Amino acid sequence: MNTAGALASIVAPALTGYIAQVFGFTPALVLGGLVMVAAALCVIFFLRGIEQLPFSSELYKTLPNAGK
């Protein structure tokens, strides 16, 4: 997941510039908006049951530099 996000952040500016140069700036922004909407729909429909992990203060105390 982190790799896909990093790759998208590298490719997106170049792809947006290319689309803006070939087709115009409006289609480049429309494509960016459509990708954003698709990502939001994926989060809404595919990510279910997100819960906070339990926190143990005893485990935290065993970590190096904890509380400094």
Side-chain angles (χ1 to χ4, degrees), residues 3 6-7 15-16 19 27 34 39-42 44-45 49 59 64-65 68:
T3 303
L7 182 61
L15 183 62
T16 302
I19 293 172
L34 290 174
L41 290 174
C42 286
I44 291 169
F45 291 112
L59 177 63
N65 300 324
K68 292 185 181 179

Side-chain angles (χ1 to χ4, degrees), residues 24-48:
F25 200 65
T26 301
L29 293 180
V30 169
L31 178 63
L34 290 174
V35 169
M36 182 189 67
V37 169
L41 290 174
C42 286
V43 168
I44 291 169
F45 291 112
F46 295 125
L47 290 181
R48 297 286 183 189

